[in-house]
Amino acid sequence: MVLRPHLKEFLTEVMQLFEVVFWTAAEAEYAAAVVDAIERHVLGLPRSLYHHEEIVQYNLNHAAPRRVTSHANFYCLCERQSLQSFDRMKYLPLLGRPVHRTIIIDDSERSFPFTPRNAIKVPPFTVRVHRYTCVYPSAHTCADGTATSLLTRDLTKEGLYTITDSPLGTADLRHLWDTALLDLLPLLRAVAATPEDDITRELDHWRAPNYTDCDNFSENFPGGKNTHVGAVLPTRRATPIPPLRPHEDNAKWEPRIKEGLRKWGIPVGPPVAHVSTKKRKRKTRNKRGTSKRKR
């Protein structure tokens, strides 16, 4: 696995500003391996991801429960915590956090359609490495010498590369100058410092004027007209774009969203608000009390 340049600087600061969720559309084993490697080998923090058998065994042999996760302000989600009916969409209400206080950073727009005002898209980072980087041990030895089964992959330090020491091809040399993560820090600092309760209003200062097109959820899916969903500007505009005004077609997605939320036991809120663009004919009453249409 090749680390994106400036990952350590980015996470070190962001973890001071926000509660962080590592969220992948891949399986749980992959998610745990990557987050564990980042925590221990990149950030230099104590290990905080454990197999449940390790925790049970530790608590049986120690009077006090394990407390080595007190340093962590993040948690990890995988494809099991996603809307399966929408191609494993990372749907923000599934986090259990106030959506108006949450942002999502991703290199794919497939998780943005229903929460475009919360979305920040970064360019993809793909580097080809022609070496195996994961090992799959069948067991793990705890501190007390007890061997337990390990269901997650153990991504070793030797399996992590920085962009300068990985076996790159010529086509990948452009990644040496990748600053996508550092470029996001001014925006994220502004979001963390905003006095607004709804932090998406601060994000609206970093959007192009035509970003209001993304209020039509139907056009935010891959292949839709809104190819700029999640896009942010490099600098803050003095005037934000207008507040979210949901499109009238947004309501048609409500039944499928509710179905996905019920699967996870999440209470379903009020219907999705929509604004009708059809002009209604005004009615007036004549002296006899009957109504007639005003032409």
Side-chain angles (χ1 to χ4, degrees):
M1 183 176 75
V2 179
L3 302 176
R4 190 165 201 157
H6 311 293
L7 176 64
K8 182 176 182 179
E9 300 97 304
F10 177 79
L11 287 178
T12 299
E13 180 166 352
V14 168
M15 285 180 169
Q16 299 297 320
L17 301 174
F18 301 92
E19 176 191 41
V20 175
V21 178
F22 294 99
W23 202 350
T24 177
E27 66 274 13
E29 291 82 359
Y30 167 83
V34 172
V35 172
D36 182 61
I38 290 175
E39 181 180 33
R40 292 189 293 148
H41 304 317
V42 177
L43 299 176
L45 297 173
R47 183 181 178 210
S48 64
L49 290 179
Y50 296 90
H51 189 275
H52 74 279
E53 293 179 5
E54 294 181 72
I55 298 175
V56 170
Q57 189 64 42
Y58 181 92
N59 291 339
L60 288 175
N61 298 325
H62 297 80
R66 186 186 293 269
R67 298 184 181 278
V68 295
T69 60
S70 59
H71 67 278
N73 74 332
F74 62 86
Y75 60 103
C76 178
L77 298 179
C78 66
E79 53 90 17
R80 297 175 186 174
Q81 292 84 39
S82 63
L83 286 184
Q84 302 291 333
S85 57
F86 287 98
D87 191 22
R88 295 178 294 180
M89 177 188 292
K90 303 163 192 170
Y91 185 52
L92 290 185
L94 291 173
L95 293 178
R97 299 292 189 268
V99 175
H100 68 283
R101 302 285 299 169
T102 307
I103 58 178
I104 179 171
I105 303 173
D106 207 322
D107 64 357
S108 172
E109 67 274 11
R110 73 176 181 179
S111 293
F112 298 164
F114 300 138
T115 52
R117 296 297 183 104
N118 307 72
I120 299 175
K121 186 176 180 180
V122 292
F125 181 79
T126 305
V127 177
R128 295 176 293 277
V129 179
H130 305 291
R131 289 177 60 181
Y132 291 105
T133 59
C134 292
V135 294
Y136 302 85
S138 58
H140 176 75
T141 303
C142 298
D144 58 4
T146 304
T148 61
S149 61
L150 182 66
L151 300 183
T152 60
R153 306 171 187 175
D154 184 12
L155 189 55
T156 64
K157 187 174 183 179
E158 290 71 26
L160 296 176
Y161 297 100
T162 63
I163 196 68
T164 55
D165 64 12
S166 60
L168 299 177
T170 304
D172 294 316
L173 292 178
R174 67 186 186 280
H175 293 305
L176 286 169
W177 297 277
D178 185 289
T179 60
L181 296 180
L182 291 184
D183 295 342
L184 287 181
L185 287 178
L187 181 156
L188 296 177
R189 292 171 190 143
V191 170
T194 182
E196 296 275 359
D197 180 58
D198 185 348
I199 63 176
T200 64
R201 291 302 293 147
E202 173 59 31
L203 274 177
D204 288 343
H205 284 272
W206 300 77
R207 308 289 194 188
N210 67 340
Y211 197 80
T212 53
D213 296 342
C214 299
D215 293 344
N216 180 359
F217 297 165
S218 298
E219 298 296 342
N220 292 341
F221 289 89
K225 294 180 181 179
N226 297 332
T227 57
H228 57 299
V229 61
V232 292
L233 300 174
T235 56
R236 187 181 190 272
R237 298 171 65 241
T239 304
I241 62 174
L244 173 68
R245 188 182 182 188
H247 192 272
E248 62 176 346
D249 288 341
N250 291 356
K252 72 180 183 182
W253 298 105
E254 184 179 340
R256 290 183 61 188
I257 294 175
K258 285 184 176 180
E259 179 184 354
L261 293 178
R262 287 193 184 99
K263 177 182 177 182
W264 298 109
I266 296 178
V268 177
V272 177
H274 66 280
V275 178
S276 176
T277 58
K278 296 180 180 179
K279 294 183 179 180
R280 296 181 178 179
K281 295 181 179 180
R282 297 177 58 188
K283 292 183 179 181
T284 59
R285 291 186 176 274
N286 58 22
K287 294 181 180 179
R288 296 181 180 180
T290 58
S291 62
K292 63 179 181 179
R293 296 188 183 278
K294 186 176 181 180
R295 297 180 180 177

